[in-house]
């Protein structure tokens, strides 16, 4: 994805100002996944594999419907099935399409040490550019949603691109295009929020009083959002985080401490320089040398 | 050519490090340099240009941990060699109190120092600590082979710890190198294995006496 | 479907029962989502398992497999006793006022005409209306006559109480009432309910009657013929609708015309029996035109060889001694009476019940031809596949020919969707290797057969050698030629009977519709209901204009629907007797004073004024819809519950003391298969089989993508059963029945609940059918190892949805 056709607003391991003078007038984009409409058919999973030329191994059944069982470098999105008995005693089968959330404040990008391996376009999509990826896996540690996967084949990180290649030419992502129920929609983030609001109203009218939009502020909002029946309990949806944010550990690791540490090293070196130039070297004078030889002689002559 | 026991001015020399000591140290040192530049490349964008030293990002990512392992082993041998020289004693405490004299080249005022002064000893233990930290954390963040065995929060902590230890070790080694450069004659100890009598008596008088005394027999 | 996919969006209540629309019909299910999102529709799912359809439902009701007539009968009872029926509709548009014969009776589960010795119905004559001297059926518009259909029905279903529903289905009254009330809310003109069903209703020994019960509910609610209503059968294979339309069932001819039975050797009697006359004054009874359909069909097949003198080659038509359906075929093979079999696009070993019987049957053949793009389980039935399929090839002499075919994407032609829409598609790619299209292979076979008859003679070569075969390339008829043939054409110039100077059709001109068919041999039409699909204006199936002027999803210019491009059947019933739409916001058609018209093609005589009282169900002799099916069904005029042939309770809760009314008295079973039936003591669990959304039957397991998303066979059991058996999810279980066993991993789920049936706990076992021992998924057993060879009394559909098994830890 080197020859990207989208404008970049943020790039991993880069400290200079990115070109931001121009940005989409319509705002950023978003994919809205209406969990309440999703029937878990996995068409999106299949479309993703087809469009992106991904072919995972044929695995095995582990006693659940989730297949593959987890995200992999070849499976950028998987359906997560959770059986939940609500307080009324009725069963709910909550099916969530898992994958990259395209955080406005992406932990992966923050963590990435390789310039240009992770970029965020002005439209909000967070994309991995594998040719710049060094395979260190920092993005894995950085991501609050446990999304990126490093391929054993080429040691590069992979995840949902939000079909940046399609979006760049004005098409919706492959999974959106294929979703038979219209559970996934795509558009400007504003439009998606409006659409979500309608859906939430419908859900509320059906007794889901806590229906709501999942667009967590902790990561600055996401460009993949969910409509949830139980927005008050995201963890019901296969452990979706209630209040995700970049881990404080990662914040500390990748925050201000880093430049400070660099400065610390520089200061240490400079301190040496100044010490040397102010105090000067610690040398052994001719006299000291002679004294030492003399002393040595004396000692040697001492009786043992 | 000067004889092995004389410097170019004809001053007699004392053997401070054996061939093996020196090789061991320089293996460690070379590894460190490689690790420092490769680590720093990943450390912060300002130093990403350092990826070139190991042949780009992927090679940096691949080689760094292996070099780290080599360094760790080599360092461990070094530690085994020098461990007995690095026991802190009363004189060391006094030495530390007189840091001002140390920095201002007023060694004559300092208590008599053995093989290593307190600064070197402290550095020694800092290095030991940092290396252990780097090894343990380094393995945890070693994505290709090990990271998937650890929960994500542990990996994050390890990354933080690794960066911190790296910071510590780099600063320490800067000081270490500077000291070698500052205290003239030190480099020779690690390069040729010998120091002059004057150097030995000035910086490590107790050691000097010990060595000379031993050389009587 | 009486309605169509897009029309589902017009529904206010959607009952998915006897199907799993979201998984088996995900694309069509979009319209359910639309109805929910934009009409606020309520979705109700009644299924033994909590399916992916249930996951998006407003209400899910777990029920026992094989007991839906009790549930639906309960709904009928609820609607009738609470008077939640659309009065004006049922009075005018159904047979409620019709008076039934006096000798009609129902005694403890059996109708009059039952012969206790022969164990079957020998005389169905009492299953009829009382006829007046005028030749018409008698009616009582007040509905008070004790023998009018309304009163009889009320009485019949009074036994289907909520308590009975609880007892037989395990559905508690609260849950039952939830469904009943939701459906009842549509008994008013402004609201519509649709019913979506498929195999969960059909694959039972009482399948056809279950559908009828559903249809009766819809009629009571006034939901037939209206937008957002209807009885919607979600069909299977992409062209399974086309298969039935074209008469590929053994007793059928194209367009739902029926083959003569052995006794029907007389042409005129044969036609008379099908050209049904109206049973009430002023009614249309469109099938009175049957002769036109039959003659035109026979002209299409035998051209000049079909003449008035030879009764249009009536002798060429086979006269059936019995239906030759799949189960019959395997029975005959096993008896050594059928020695060759052409298996075209059919993985019979995997899909037919009782794999052992199928294996034995195929092993007795002399030859077996497989026409399939893949190497299937069937094409390797003779080869051992470990534990999954144990056979001894040295004992099998069957010669197997594999003819690789192309598949749908590699050819062009039309497919008929559940919506009855014939949609033309174009070839996407060339077939690989040596594959040839089915058309080419069939034509090749035919040419050789014909040649053999021509050169060697034979008992009765005429139907073969005289078959019309006017294709440009006789070895490879084009899909276009065939499509045109189905539509039909004029064989000579046809003029207006009122004005002979006016030429309606030139010789060889394509017909515009079936109204132009003649019974004098001047028209040919391969399938009368397809007339209009390829007219003089060209291929109507290729049309792609999706404009929807009224916004209710009536895209009349998108492809073409049979009959006559009509999208909602019986749409005359969407208007009140005066011709005004019941619901003006969902107007399909209306009477404008001179003609019928609107968003759909009227299912009615276009210029018939409402005052004349012609009923909306013009295909029926009554002109109105039937609650009382007369003698059309094998088991009786009103649907009655009978237990599956393998019943987990061992008696019929409605007729506990009548063993003859235990199972469907008209159900289909061969003696040898009966021996293999399991009893509840040995096989205590009620099993049901079904497909998973990730796979299409037994062939997408050959595709990598599908195999990735569903890689291995499993069995679904509830938590309670898992505990009893001592397994957790991922463990292997052995499931056995009277026919054999399979071993697979267990999916232990909250989605299958233990039910209390007749006071006792009962477990369901769910068996996804999509796996086997060929393909890219992990090799496994065929689920049809377990199923019994039991057929529905009317359709002979196997009872794959209800049988007994035992689950153990493997
Ligand atoms: N993905 C996919 N889609 C398909 C197919 C496929 O193989 N894969 N096959 C196609 C074909 S050919 C067909 S015929 C259709 C079939 O479509 P469906 O009939 O919808 O599919 P099934 O999975 O056979 O069964 C549907 C449901 O019936 C339930 N059921 C079983 N017994 C009963 C009962 O007594 N009462 C009630 N109410 N429910 C019951 C089962 O639990 C199951 O959930 O699907 C078509 N679509
Ligand atoms: N226990 C149980 N048994 C069942 C069912 C159930 O629910 N439970 N469902 C039943 C139902 S509804 C159905 S429809 C059957 C399905 O049973 P089958 O129709 O036997 O199953 P498929 O796997 O769809 O087989 C179709 C075959 O056609 C081939 N094919 C595809 N395209 C073409 C083509 O263009 N030409 C030719 N010649 N071949 C082609 C495919 O490769 C495949 O092998 O299974 C039935 N069996
Ligand atoms: C790359 C530049 C380096 C230089 C120029 C350098 C130089 C020296 C010199 C001159 C000495 C001898 C000091 C003395 O004898 O008093 C020494 C000792 C030593 N060096 Fe280095 N060194 C370098 C790197 C390292 C590194 C990377 C390590 C280990 C991490 C290291 C570990 C040691 C140790 C352990 C000693 C013995 C002192 C003690 O035990 O306290 N050195 N070094
Ligand atoms: C002891 C054995 C060591 C191991 C196993 C190890 C391993 C690693 C690993 C796996 C990484 C992540 C990048 C990659 O996958 O290549 C890393 C990063 C790093 N390493 Fe090491 N390393 C070791 C020693 C060292 C040493 C001695 C230094 C100090 C010079 C060092 C400095 C760094 C730095 C600065 C980084 C980047 C940290 C960041 O970006 O926050 N490492 N190391
Ligand atoms: S394609 Fe749509 S309905 Fe199907 S699983 Fe994906 S999101 Fe859900
Ligand atoms: S979800 Fe993870 S991988 Fe995706 S943008 Fe956010 S931090 Fe990055
Ligand atoms: S593995 Fe992740 S963090 Fe490392 S370079 Fe690649 S994208 Fe960046
Ligand atoms: S947006 Fe594209 S890359 Fe992401 S899950 Fe959907 S199809 Fe896959
Ligand atoms: S076959 Fe697949 S794509 Fe076609 S309608 Fe069915 S679910 Fe949709
Ligand atoms: Mo089917």
């Amino acid at each position: 994805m080197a020859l990207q056709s989208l404008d970049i607003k943020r790039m991993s391991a880069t400290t200079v100002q990115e070109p931001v003078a121009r940005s989409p007038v319509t705002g950023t984009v978003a994919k809205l996944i209406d969990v309440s409409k999703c029937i878990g058919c996995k068409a999106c999973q299949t479309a993703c594999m087809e469009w992106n030329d991904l072919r995972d191994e044929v695995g095995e059944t582990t006693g659940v419907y989730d297949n593959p069982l987890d995200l992999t470098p070849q499976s950028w999105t998987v359906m997560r099935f959770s059986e939940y008995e609500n307080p009324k005693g009725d069963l709910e089968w909550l099916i969530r399409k898992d994958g990259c959330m395209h955080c406005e404040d992406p932990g992966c990008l923050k963590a990435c040490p390789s310039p240009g391996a992770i970029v965020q376009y002005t439209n909000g999509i967070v994309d991995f550019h594998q040719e710049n990826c060094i395979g260190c896996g920092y993005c894995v540690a950085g991501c609050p949603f446990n999304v990126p996967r490093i391929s054993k084949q080429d040691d590069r990180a992979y995840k949902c691109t939000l079909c940046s290649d399609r979006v760049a030419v004005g098409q919706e992502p492959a999974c959106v295009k294929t979703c038979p129920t219209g559970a996934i929609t795509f558009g400007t983030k504003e439009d998606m929020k409006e659409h979500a609001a309608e859906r939430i109203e419908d859900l509320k009218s059906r007794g889901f009083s806590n229906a709501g939009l999942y667009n967590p502020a902790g990561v600055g909002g996401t460009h993949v959002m969910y409509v949830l029946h139980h927005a008050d309990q995201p963890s019901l949806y296969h452990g979706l985080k209630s209040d995700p944010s970049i881990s404080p550990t990662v914040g500390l690791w990748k925050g201000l401490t880093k430049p400070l540490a660099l400065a610390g090293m520089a200061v240490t070196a400079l301190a040496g320089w100044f010490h040397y130039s102010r105090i000067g070297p610690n040398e052994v004078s001719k006299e000291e040398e002679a004294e030492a030889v003399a002393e040595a002689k004396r000692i040697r002559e001492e009786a043992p | 050519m000067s004889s092995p026991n004389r410097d170019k001015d004809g001053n007699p020399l004392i053997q401070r490090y054996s061939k093996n000591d020196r090789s061991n140290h320089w293996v460690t040192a070379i590894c460190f340099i490689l690790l420092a530049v490769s680590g720093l490349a990943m450390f912060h964008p300002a130093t990403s240009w350092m990826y070139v030293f190991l042949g780009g990002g992927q090679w940096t990512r691949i080689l760094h941990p292996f070099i780290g392992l080599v360094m760790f082993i080599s360092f461990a041998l070094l530690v085994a060699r020098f461990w007995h020289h690095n026991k802190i004693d009363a004189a060391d405490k006094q030495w530390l109190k007189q840091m001002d004299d140390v920095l201002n080249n007023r060694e004559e005022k300092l208590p008599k120092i053995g093989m290593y002064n307190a600064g070197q000893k402290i550095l020694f233990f800092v290095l030991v600590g940092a290396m252990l930290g780097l090894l343990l954390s380094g393995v945890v963040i070693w994505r290709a082979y090990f990271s998937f065995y650890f929960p994500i929060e542990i990996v994050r902590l390890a990354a933080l710890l690794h960066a911190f230890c790296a910071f510590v070790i780099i600063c320490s080694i800067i000081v270490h190198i500077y000291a070698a450069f500052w205290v003239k004659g030190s480099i020779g100890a690690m390069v040729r294995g010998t120091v002059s009598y004057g150097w030995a008596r000035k910086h490590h008088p107790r050691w000097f006496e010990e060595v000379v005394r031993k050389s009587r027999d | 479907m009486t309605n169509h996919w897009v029309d589902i969006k017009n529904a206010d209540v959607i009952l998915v029962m006897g199907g799993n629309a979201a998984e088996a019909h995900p694309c069509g299910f979009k319209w359910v989502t639309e109805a929910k999102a934009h009409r606020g529709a309520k979705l109700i799912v009644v299924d033994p398992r909590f399916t992916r359809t249930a996951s998006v439902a407003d209400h899910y009701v777990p029920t026992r497999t094989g007991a839906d007539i009790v549930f639906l009968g309960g709904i009928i009872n609820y609607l009738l006793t609470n008077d939640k029926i659309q009065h004006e509709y049922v009075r005018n548009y159904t047979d409620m006022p019709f008076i039934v014969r006096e000798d009609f009776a129902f005694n403890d589960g059996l109708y009059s005409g039952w012969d206790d010795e022969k164990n079957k119905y020998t005389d169905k004559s009492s299953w009829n209306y009382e006829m007046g001297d005028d030749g018409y059926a008698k009616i009582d518009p007040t509905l008070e006559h004790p023998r009018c259909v309304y009163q009889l029905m009320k009485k019949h279903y009074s036994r289907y109480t909520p308590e009975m529903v609880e007892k037989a289905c395990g559905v508690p009254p609260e849950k039952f009432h939830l469904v009943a009330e939701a459906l009842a809310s549509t008994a008013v003109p402004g609201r519509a309910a649709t019913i979506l069903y498929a195999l969960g209703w059909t694959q039972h020994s009482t399948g056809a009657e279950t559908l009828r019960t559903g249809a009766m509910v819809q009629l009571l609610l006034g939901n037939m013929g209206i937008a957002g209503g209807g009885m919607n059968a979600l069909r299977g294979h992409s062209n399974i609708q086309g298969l039935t339309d074209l008469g590929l069932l053994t007793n059928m001819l194209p367009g739902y015309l029926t083959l003569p039975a052995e006794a029907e050797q007389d042409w005129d009697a044969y036609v008379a029996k099908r050209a049904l006359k109206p049973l009430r004054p002023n009614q249309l009874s469109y099938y009175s035109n049957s002769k036109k359909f039959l003659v035109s069909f026979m002209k299409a097949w035998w051209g000049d060889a079909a003449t008035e003198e030879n009764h249009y080659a009536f002798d060429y038509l086979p006269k059936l001694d019995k239906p030759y359906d799949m189960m019959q075929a395997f029975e005959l093979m096993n008896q050594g009476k059928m020695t060759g079999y052409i298996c075209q696009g059919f993985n019979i070993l995997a899909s037919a019940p009782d794999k052992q019987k199928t294996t034995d049957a195929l092993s007795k053949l002399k030859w077996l031809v497989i026409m399939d793009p893949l190497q299937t389980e069937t094409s390797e039935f003779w080869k051992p596949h470990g534990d999954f399929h144990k056979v001894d090839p040295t004992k099998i002499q069957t010669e197997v020919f594999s003819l690789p075919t192309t598949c749908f994407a590699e050819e062009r032609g039309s497919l008929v969707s559940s919506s009855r829409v014939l949609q033309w598609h174009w070839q996407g790619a060339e077939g690989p290797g040596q594959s040839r299209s089915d058309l080419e292979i069939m034509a090749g076979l035919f040419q050789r057969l014909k040649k053999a008859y021509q050169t060697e003679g034979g008992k009765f070569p005429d139907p073969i050698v005289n078959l019309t075969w006017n294709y440009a390339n006789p070895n490879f008829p084009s899909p276009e030629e065939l499509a045109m043939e189905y539509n039909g054409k004029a064989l000579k110039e046809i003029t207006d009977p009122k004005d002979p100077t006016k030429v309606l059709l030139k010789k060889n001109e394509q017909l515009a519709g079936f109204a132009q068919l003649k019974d004098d041999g001047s028209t040919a039409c391969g399938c009368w209901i397809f007339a209009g699909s390829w007219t003089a204006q060209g291929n109507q199936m290729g049309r792609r204009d999706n404009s929807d002027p009224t916004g209710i999803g009536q895209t009349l210019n998108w492809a073409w629907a049979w009959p006559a491009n009509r999208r909602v059947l019986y749409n005359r019933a969407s208007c009140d007797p005066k011709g005004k739409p019941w619901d003006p916001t969902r107007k399909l058609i209306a009477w404008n004073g001179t003609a019928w018209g609107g968003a759909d093609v009227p299912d009615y005589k276009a210029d018939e004024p409402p005052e004349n009282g012609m009923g909306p169900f013009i295909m029926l002799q009554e002109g109105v819809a039937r609650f009382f099916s007369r003698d059309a069904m094998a088991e009786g005029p009103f649907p009655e519950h009978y237990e599956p042939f393998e019943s987990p309770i061992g008696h019929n809760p409605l007729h506990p003391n009548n063993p003859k009314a235990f199972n469907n008295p008209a159900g289909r079973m061969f003696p040898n298969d009966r021996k293999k039936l399991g009893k509840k003591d040995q096989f205590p669990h009620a099993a049901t089989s079904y497909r998973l959304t990730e796979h299409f039957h037994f062939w997408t397991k050959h595709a990598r993508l599908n195999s990735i998303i569903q890689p291995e066979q499993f069995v679904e059991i509830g938590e309670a059963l898992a505990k009893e058996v001592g397994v957790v999810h991922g463990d292997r279980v052995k499931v056995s029945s009277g026919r054999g066993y399979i071993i697979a991993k267990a999916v232990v789920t909250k989605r299958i609940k233990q039910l209390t049936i007749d006071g006792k706990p009962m477990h369901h076992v769910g068996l996804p059918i999509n796996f086997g021992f060929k393909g890219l998924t992990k090799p496994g057993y065929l689920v049809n190892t377990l199923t019994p060879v039991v057929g529905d009394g009317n359709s002979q559909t196997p009872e794959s949805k209800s049988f007994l098994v035992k689950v153990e830890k493997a």
Side-chain angles (χ1 to χ4, degrees), chain C residues 179-190:
Chain C
V179 182
E181 280 156 25
L183 286 171
S185 77
T186 66
V188 293

Side-chain angles (χ1 to χ4, degrees), chain A residues 38-44 79 179-181 183-184:
Chain A
C38 170
I39 54 172
C41 67
K42 303 187 190 167
C44 47
M79 306 311 299
C179 176
T181 61
I184 332 180

Side-chain angles (χ1 to χ4, degrees), chain A residues 36-40 42 50 55-56 58-63 65 67 83 85 90-91 93 180 206, chain C residues 22 30 33 36 41 50 52 56 58 694 704-705 708-709 711-712 716 729 745 749-751 753 778:
Chain A
S36 72
K37 270 188 181 180
C38 170
I39 54 172
K42 303 187 190 167
E50 285 194 315
R55 293 295 183 276
D56 222 320
V58 176
E60 50 180 72
T61 288
T62 58
Y65 272 46
N67 266 301
E83 293 176 357
E85 234 151 32
D90 287 333
L91 187 66
W93 203 10
R206 288 171 200 272
Chain C
K30 172 198 175 74
T33 333
K36 283 186 72 187
F50 191 107
R52 283 180 254 209
V56 291
D58 294 279
E694 291 90 342
R704 175 92 181 259
L705 287 171
I708 291 169
I709 58 172
E712 190 181 6
E716 286 187 287
H729 74 84
K745 288 202 178 142
T749 171
K750 294 187 198 304
R751 295 177 293 100
K753 284 266 172 296
K778 298 261 175 310

Side-chain angles (χ1 to χ4, degrees), chain C residues 789-806:
Chain C
V789 186
V790 175
D792 169 75
N794 297 279
S795 66
Q796 281 85 46
T797 302
E799 187 154 48
S800 321
K801 289 280 182 274
S802 241
F803 53 97
L804 293 181
V805 298
K806 177 182 176 180

Side-chain angles (χ1 to χ4, degrees), chain B residues 76-97:
Chain B
L77 291 174
L78 206 61
V79 168
R81 282 172 201 282
F82 300 147
W83 184 264
H84 62 283
H85 293 308
N86 284 293
K87 298 195 177 116
I88 307 274
D89 55 31
D92 292 329
K93 287 184 188 143
Q94 185 56 36
W95 189 90
L96 284 173
K97 283 191 190 138

Side-chain angles (χ1 to χ4, degrees), chain A residues 113 134-136 138 253-254 258, chain B residues 32 35-40 42-44 60-69 71-72 131 134-139 141-143 159 162-163 165-167 169-170:
Chain A
I134 66 169
C136 61
Y138 285 10
W253 168 41
K254 285 286 173 175
K258 271 277 163 81
Chain B
F32 170 81
L35 286 165
V37 293
S38 58
L40 284 175
M42 295 179 275
F43 192 78
H44 190 265
T60 302
R61 186 265 310 161
I62 296 169
L63 292 177
H64 175 97
F66 286 107
I67 301 174
L69 288 187
M71 172 165 172
F72 184 84
M131 280 309 290
L134 284 164
L135 176 77
L136 296 179
S137 60
V139 166
I141 61 173
W142 199 344
R143 183 53 57 181
H162 199 79
C165 291
F167 165 71
I169 202 171
I170 290 171

Side-chain angles (χ1 to χ4, degrees), chain C residues 37-105:
Chain C
H38 300 300
R39 277 200 80 85
K42 289 267 175 294
L43 172 62
I44 299 168
V45 172
V46 183
D47 195 298
R49 305 178 304 125
F50 191 107
T51 60
R52 283 180 254 209
T53 312
S55 80
V56 291
D58 294 279
H59 303 298
Y60 162 69
V61 179
T63 189
R64 171 168 71 104
T65 164
D68 283 355
I69 292 182
V70 184
F71 192 99
L72 295 167
I75 301 275
I76 293 178
N77 187 21
Y78 172 93
L79 297 177
L80 289 173
T81 46
N82 295 291
D83 204 23
K84 294 279 168 81
I85 61 178
Q86 196 179 324
H87 285 273
E88 209 180 347
Y89 186 103
V90 290
R91 274 169 196 275
N92 292 290
Y93 298 163
T94 75
D95 64 356
M96 268 193 183
F98 283 58
I99 296 169
V100 172
R101 271 167 61 144
E102 204 166 355
D103 52 354
F104 171 74

